[in-house]
Amino acid sequence: MRPSALVAFLFSGFVLFVAVGPRTLGAEDGYELWLRYPLVGDAARLAEYREAITQVVAASDAPTMQAARDELVTGLGGLLGRDTPVAGAVSQDGALVVGTPANSRVVAALPLADALRQAGPEGFVLRAMAIGGRRAIVVAANRDVGVLYGAFDLLRLLQTESPLAGLDVVSAPRLRLRLLDHWDNLDGTVERGYAGASLWEWARLPDSINPRYRDYARANASVGINGVVLTNVNANALILTAAYLVKVAALARVFRPYGIKVYLTARFSAPIEIGGLSTADPLDSGVRGWWAAKVQEIYRVIPDFGGFLVKANSEGQPGPQDYHRTHADGANLLADALAPRGGVVMWRAFVYSSDVPSDRVMQASDEFVPLDGAFRRNVLIQVKNGPLDFQPREPFHPLFGAMPRTPLMMEVQITKEYLGQDTHLAFLAPMWEEVLRADTYARGPGSTVAKQIQGIAGVANVGTDRDWCGSVMNQANWYAFGRLAWDHTLLSAAIADEWIRMTFSNDPRVVRPVTAMLLASREAVVNYMTPQGLAHQMARGSHYGPGPWVTGGRADQTSIYFNRADSAGLGFDRTATGSNAVRQYALPARSRFASRDSVPENLLLWFHHVGWRERLRSGRTLWEALLRHYQAGVDTVRWMRRTWDALAIDALVDPERFHRVQALLRIQEAEARWWRDASVLYWQSFSHLPLPPDYEAPAHPLDWYRQLHCPPDPRKPRCPAIAGAP
Ligand code: GCW
């Protein structure tokens, strides 16, 4: 190193040292996720925990029990700062007894019958109690996987420095299917993935097992996720060939102890592509036989295979309509093949007809409601949270509650295709909470979306990036998804609080401000991207950055189709004078959305075309309200930056993660301004209304934004011209 370079190097180290202060925390790269087990910081709590837990008592060596025990030994080792011995029997005060009545005589003898009944097949009981006169904590369940979930829950209590005195918890998942859907391709790319390549190393499997697979399973189990779809819904039939199935089986073996079942996407034309048949017609007996045999072959190598996820007749995917059959014919074909082995078919309702519909958001309901009752019992219709496509805000999908005879699942996107991808901070729990609690009124008041579903799937946001999610902040969404899938009554604020404690620190100087950031973040994105019910205003293809002017190509994929901006006003009339999409909702949700007097203001332009100068219930004109929303979005991001920066003063977060988040927030602010300026200028070209004198002037004229071409990097479609702004 040249002397001058050395000086510069030392100097930069000095600056860093000064910036983060003398009490520098060890650098962390985010790999550990929320499963970090640092020494408990609060001295009183540490003493309490050390007294409460002095040995782990576990009787069984079954793989899932071993996983639970390993996690406890590792977790307690770090949190308590000492080794906790594993014993076969309670021999002292402070026994942590883990087991089921079937695998532990100690547990079988405890008076837990009622609690275990409530816990059900996957739940668990945590209880502080005396065993043979000794103080003990019990993690009990009916099945081994419940013990594992309970072990993670107990560790969570310690990680969040919660009291153990009087511990008495019974927890059971409210939904049966809690899945991550990977949009991973066999070539290692990930559709709408922003965190590196696919985790699945197909070329190296089945012989080489990346240790990451196990860490991935641990993370999922820690939040109760019990299934993963390994492959993209834009499916490749090759995954169903023998050569790939052995690889899938190897992954399933790693995941099995963690209670995770493996599912695959089934390409509808597989009988032709890999089976050599001339048709994939669901009513053809040869096709039916082919699928039956294929399913048997799968179960031979993966005895607990979960089933298929299918995207059919949508965005170019093959499906039963290619043979003039219905979605029910298609789903039932696979369901019949899977039924003998207990597998399920998750058939997606995200369909696109080849003709451009008058209102795309109506298509799924128009197509599927008439099929209610026509599906086999082991079919679930998988419905996106909203009727369009994972927008920053949509109303709930009208299919929820509209198919009373068909089990439904909800699909949400953890990967933030339309919310700033890996870069922008957008904590999604508030969005999911909003939809899960929305009242469909399908069976009278209180018919929330959560009550209409039997499962939930999240499109995964993980990849080979060291921190799994492209940013530590995105990990919060993986975590929150699992927590809400387990218990949709949890509040976003509570989920944020525990995630921050586990991921960063229990210090209130971190917990309070970062919770506030997380909780404000999604609304900020809505405000600067698509306020007041606007939707699908992103750049074409990449869906990154503003593109309210996008036109050409298939109409129902353009921005102007959705914004309907004209000289009169803005928004899509979905009332009886327009597409009448409101008819798909049950009363009184329908009339609530249909009336300008009752439609929630944050969905106004989703349902109504509103004049630029029209007064809203707030007393402001639409134009004034819009401007305020865009500005509020930018202001919130600025506030998030300041809030985050303040953590540096006392070096409350380790420098590596601190600086990475700081850099991303800087980009987010520049891009929030980009969104605001481009959108406001574009709307102004219709409204011809002025910006108030004190409004922050757009940095460039509209044409500059329209001509901006971001580099065609599908993985990181950031715009240097924007990100480079101060
Ligand atoms: O959100 C859109 C995405 C597509 C995706 C599709 C779907 C897998 O832009 O990339 O394809 O939805 O959900 O099928």
Side-chain angles (χ1 to χ4, degrees), residues 183 191-192 233-234 311 315 348 350 384 389 417:
W183 286 357
E191 179 149 353
R192 310 302 178 182
V233 287
N234 292 335
K311 171 176 178 178
E315 298 185 321
R348 295 178 90 223
F350 180 73
K384 289 187 181 184
D389 194 11
E417 175 181 354

Side-chain angles (χ1 to χ4, degrees), residues 113-409:
D114 279 352
L116 284 172
R117 232 189 323 279
Q118 282 177 53
E122 289 184 293
F124 57 84
V125 179
L126 302 184
R127 193 173 285 181
M129 60 200 303
I131 300 180
R134 304 199 194 274
R135 277 185 293 101
I137 289 178
V138 176
V139 179
N142 294 304
R143 288 175 38 212
D144 293 3
V145 71
V147 177
L148 179 66
Y149 292 148
F152 277 114
D153 211 57
L154 181 73
L155 288 168
R156 175 165 28 245
L157 292 177
L158 270 54
Q159 288 174 284
T160 56
E161 298 188 353
S162 310
L164 293 183
L167 183 65
D168 188 5
V169 174
V170 181
S171 182
R174 288 174 195 269
L175 295 175
R176 154 168 87 87
L177 294 167
R178 307 177 299 278
L179 268 58
L180 276 195
D181 286 1
H182 287 262
W183 286 357
D184 291 20
N185 300 312
L186 300 187
D187 66 2
T189 58
V190 180
E191 179 149 353
R192 310 302 178 182
Y194 313 102
S198 170
L199 291 174
W200 324 132
E201 299 175 341
W202 295 116
R204 294 181 179 168
L205 285 163
D207 311 296
S208 159
I209 300 294
N210 190 324
R212 242 185 135 136
Y213 301 149
R214 180 169 165 271
D215 288 331
Y216 164 84
R218 288 173 54 230
N220 279 337
S222 77
V223 288
I225 289 168
N226 67 358
V228 295
V229 181
L230 294 175
T231 45
N232 192 353
V233 287
N234 292 335
N236 186 331
L238 288 179
I239 193 66
L240 301 177
T241 57
Y244 272 97
L245 289 175
V246 292
K247 300 167 190 276
V248 174
L251 288 173
R253 265 195 298 280
V254 180
F255 300 160
R256 192 168 293 122
Y258 291 89
I260 296 166
K261 278 191 182 182
V262 159
Y263 299 73
L264 294 173
T265 47
R267 187 161 164 88
F268 203 76
S269 49
I272 302 172
E273 289 166 24
I274 59 168
L277 304 191
S278 59
T279 177
D281 182 346
L283 302 191
D284 179 276
S285 61
V287 170
R288 300 182 70 79
W290 186 86
W291 279 110
K294 180 51 74 183
V295 165
Q296 281 181 34
E297 181 190 345
I298 294 175
Y299 279 95
R300 267 199 299 277
V301 285
I302 310 160
D304 55 353
F305 179 64
F308 293 133
L309 169 64
V310 187
K311 171 176 178 178
N313 294 117
S314 171
E315 298 185 321
Q317 293 298 303
Q321 292 179 338
D322 303 348
Y323 306 94
H324 308 289
R325 312 295 185 197
T326 68
H327 281 285
D329 295 329
N332 292 344
L333 159 77
L334 301 176
D336 288 343
L338 288 159
R341 302 302 301 262
V344 300
V345 176
M346 297 168 289
W347 192 268
R348 295 178 90 223
F350 180 73
V351 291
Y352 259 109
S353 77
S354 33
D355 315 318
V356 175
S358 57
D359 186 353
R360 177 174 146 199
V361 306
M362 297 170 73
Q363 239 193 291
S365 292
D366 284 350
E367 183 103 42
F368 279 87
V369 170
L371 295 175
D372 189 24
F375 293 95
R376 299 285 190 266
R377 290 165 56 109
N378 58 333
V379 175
L380 297 112
I381 301 300
Q382 183 161 308
V383 182
K384 289 187 181 184
N385 59 284
L388 180 48
D389 194 11
F390 301 135
Q391 297 302 298
R393 174 169 278 119
E394 296 186 37
F396 67 86
H397 200 300
L399 268 177
F400 295 119
M403 296 184 71
R405 291 189 289 160
T406 311
L408 301 184
M409 283 179 73

Side-chain angles (χ1 to χ4, degrees), residues 503-526:
T503 302
F504 291 116
S505 165
N506 281 288
D507 189 326
R509 292 172 301 167
V510 176
V511 178
R512 266 193 236 118
V514 180
T515 302
M517 285 173 64
L518 291 190
L519 294 181
S521 58
R522 179 265 186 149
E523 202 61 36
V525 173
V526 171

